[in-house]
């Protein structure tokens, strides 16, 4: 009897692709504990509530602003972070609900 072949969840594939880059994975890990990894005294919004300003992420990563923006956009497309504008600045925060869903899907898939 032939087994039905199912394709992996496209959202899971996109998330795994985003996480395959070591720096994008590192950025997501830093965002897990923003108060530990980013200067709170320089924040214009609450990092736990709104997220971390892209300029602080860029400073921590030591990469060009365009590179960090591209990495964060990839994480956002994969549903791993949410972006919020505060004035002219974009702040990023992990999407914990989506991450939990992806972990559960991965657990059922593998």
């Amino acid at each position: 009897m032939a087994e039905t072949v199912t394709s992996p969840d496209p959202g899971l594939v996109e998330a795994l692709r985003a996480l395959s880059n070591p720096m994008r994975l590192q950025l997501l890990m830093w965002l897990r504990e923003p108060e530990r990894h980013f200067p709170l005294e320089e924040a214009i919004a609450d990092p736990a509530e709104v997220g971390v300003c892209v300029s602080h992420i860029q400073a921590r990563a030591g990469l060009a602003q365009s590179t960090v923006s591209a990495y964060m956009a990839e994480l956002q497309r994969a549903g791993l972070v949410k972006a919020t504008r505060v004035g002219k600045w974009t702040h990023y925060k992990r999407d914990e609900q989506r991450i939990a869903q992806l972990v559960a899907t991965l657990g059922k898939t593998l």
Side-chain angles (χ1 to χ4, degrees), residues 50 76 81-85 90-93:
V50 179
Q76 186 179 9
V81 298
K82 293 180 181 181
T84 303
R85 295 283 293 182
T90 303
H91 289 67
Y92 290 96
K93 179 180 178 180

Side-chain angles (χ1 to χ4, degrees), residues 51-77:
V52 177
C53 180
V54 71
S55 65
H56 294 146
I57 297 170
Q58 186 264 325
R60 170 84 181 180
L63 299 170
Q65 186 272 332
S66 59
T67 302
V68 171
S69 291
Y71 284 170
M72 297 310 297
E74 181 75 23
L75 291 171
Q76 186 179 9
R77 279 191 298 276

